[in-house]
Amino acid sequence: MMLVIDVTKGMQTQSAECLVIGQIACQKLVVVLNKTDLLPEGKRQAAVDRMTKRMQKTLESTKFRGAPIIPVAAKPGGPEAPDTEAPQGIPELIELLTAQIPVPVRDPSGPFLMAVDHCFSIRGQGTVLTGTILSGSVGLGDSVEIPALKVVKKVKSMQMFHLPVTSAMQGDRLGICVTQFDPKLLERGLVCAPESLHTVHAALVSLEKIPYFRGPLQTKAKFHITVGHETVMGRLLLFSPAPEAFGHPPVLDSFDFSREYLFQEQYLCEDAPPAANGADREAGRAPEGRCPRQQWALVEFERPVTCPRLCLVIGSRLDADIHANSCRLAFHGTLLHGLEARDYAESALPRLKVYKQKHRHGLVERAIDDYSVIGRSLFKKETNIQLFVGLKVLLSTGEQGVIDGAFGQSGKFKVHVPGGLSPETRKLLTPAMKKRGRAGRAGEAAAEEEGARPEPGPPVALSLSFKRYIFDSDKRMVQSP
């Protein structure tokens, strides 16, 4: 990556964003201090030295620490200056780039894929697509697909730096002339081997929050999602491994549908900002200070996108004020699995086992006998308690019970305790029963009216925990064995 800095201004907000993208996408950096001709000649070297030190300090906290920094004047005098003004420092820059750039190993195998950055027509010949081959190879007479237009075209001729060629491979800059179509339909995009790319309506992405982004990453939030040449709006649904799998190493080349995942309201990190909603104050904070080593999002696109699998994804808030001193880039990640079907919510998402852990708390009102109790405050009056029959509950005194059914119409319920109540639990629940029995119903009602009901013992609490899978259309409640 070549990061060009105006030497008279230094790092600006967009320069910093470019540096963030560089850390995500590149391994090497060259910093170019441009417009040195605008510095007063007598103070030029001192100003360049000062800016070089500032840039070195900026790079210290990045992967590019110690990257080379070179001063140039690409267009002395500015854009209006005559072309007779020779650029300054460009030969040295070319020499530096040549020394820094490793020669990549090119692989002609695999499906042809080319990133197109320009498209124009030549009368009588066809439409020309220029760009860089990302994978595979192409030859004269081959058929290529333009996925955005859903058309297949034949390669009529090819040029590399104005010279005709008959074939090209990964890494080559290329101009392809295909049979005529309107170039306005494709300014930038992808060209590929027929049927090798797929258009997706949603995707499962392994993501990482960019630490410079000040806001939280929250489920249901919308971001600008950049995938290749396309940027579309997308809505997030965040999830993490189950807590027992927080320490598992990241897997960045596939998505495992056989695993279970825990729904998250907010991306988990140790320094999560407080949520706006007071009820969700703990959302986003890692439990017990532990952060999972990998987190994911279901990204639902506002319009379908065409992209290769395992491509880079960047999420940002491009609608934020560019002049504000804050990073608009929110997260980056890898697209692990694309959902191609238009009805993916019904056809594909039920395979995705993302669950919410639900906890409910109530009280034991009284014991019926040594093996049964009546519970309350776990359900609302209108809740269909029949849906919860058979689920296990835990008494605060240690016994485990099973919900047996509703008791009356007020939300109370009967719990069967297979192992029986312990003597200690019976003592806690018995005094109130005996006092009620002695007073009789009439006495109990009078005592209630006078506010003189006998003091109950310490309350025995009930807790109910279960999982609910968010893409399960039957909304079943599942408990661990």
Side-chain angles (χ1 to χ4, degrees), residues 44 48 57 79 102 139 229 250 261 264 306 314 324 335 337 348 375 393 396:
R44 186 171 298 169
V48 168
K57 193 169 183 182
H229 277 318
Y261 301 92
Q264 298 293 349
T306 302
I314 295 179
L335 192 150
H337 185 88
V393 293
S396 58

Side-chain angles (χ1 to χ4, degrees), residues 175-435:
I176 295 179
C177 184
V178 300
T179 46
Q180 192 81 42
F181 71 89
D182 184 356
K184 291 177 184 173
L185 297 175
L186 185 81
E187 183 186 353
R188 297 190 296 177
L190 296 169
V191 176
C192 62
E195 298 184 15
S196 63
L197 278 192
H198 302 285
T199 299
V200 300
H201 295 263
L204 299 171
V205 175
S206 171
L207 64 79
E208 275 185 64
K209 186 175 187 283
I210 291 171
Y212 308 107
F213 183 72
R214 290 178 184 167
L217 300 186
Q218 292 178 315
T219 285
K220 295 185 179 178
K222 284 187 176 183
F223 288 88
H224 293 88
I225 310 294
T226 300
V227 186
H229 277 318
E230 292 197 71
T231 297
V232 301
M233 292 302 293
R235 188 189 300 272
L236 304 186
L237 184 145
L238 297 159
F239 55 97
S240 72
E244 64 272 14
F246 270 23
H248 288 191
V251 178
L252 298 175
D253 61 357
S254 61
F255 184 83
D256 188 351
F257 280 93
S258 68
R259 286 176 59 186
E260 293 198 344
Y261 301 92
L262 178 60
F263 170 86
Q264 298 293 349
E265 289 285 357
Q266 186 170 311
Y267 184 88
L268 295 178
C269 50
E270 290 171 7
D271 58 347
N277 180 352
D280 291 332
R281 211 184 317 279
E282 293 304 313
R285 294 192 183 276
E288 301 165 12
R290 294 186 307 135
C291 271
R293 294 180 63 185
Q294 185 172 16
Q295 297 181 59
W296 300 265
L298 167 68
V299 183
E300 299 182 275
F301 302 116
E302 284 198 348
R303 61 177 173 81
V305 296
T306 302
C307 55
R309 190 175 154 269
L310 302 182
C311 64
L312 173 65
V313 177
I314 295 179
S316 49
R317 279 270 163 80
L318 299 179
D319 50 345
D321 182 4
I322 185 58
H323 301 295
N325 187 24
S326 61
C327 180
R328 298 176 300 164
L329 306 170
F331 64 86
H332 67 95
T334 304
L335 192 150
L336 300 179
H337 185 88
L339 304 175
E340 299 171 39
R342 194 180 294 274
D343 66 343
Y344 67 88
E346 294 79 30
S347 62
L349 288 188
R351 287 179 61 206
L352 182 58
K353 292 186 276 192
V354 176
Y355 67 88
K356 288 184 178 181
Q357 189 71 58
K358 299 283 191 177
H359 302 285
R360 295 192 178 199
H361 302 281
L363 295 169
V364 175
E365 185 174 84
R366 58 189 172 89
I368 301 174
D369 53 42
D370 288 351
Y371 292 90
S372 303
V373 297
I374 301 301
R376 63 177 174 85
S377 305
L378 199 65
F379 307 111
K380 294 178 181 175
K381 184 179 178 181
E382 61 272 18
T383 300
N384 180 4
I385 294 175
Q386 194 61 33
L387 296 173
F388 295 84
V389 168
L391 292 185
K392 292 175 285 191
V393 293
L394 188 66
L395 278 67
S396 58
T397 46
E399 296 91 339
Q400 192 176 82
V402 179
I403 296 176
D404 225 7
F407 185 82
Q409 303 295 317
S410 61
K412 294 179 184 179
F413 53 97
K414 188 177 176 184
V415 175
H416 173 61
V417 183
L421 297 171
S422 70
E424 293 79 9
T425 305
R426 287 201 296 273
K427 278 182 190 175
L428 286 173
L429 298 172
T430 301
M433 290 171 62
K434 284 182 177 175
K435 286 173 187 172

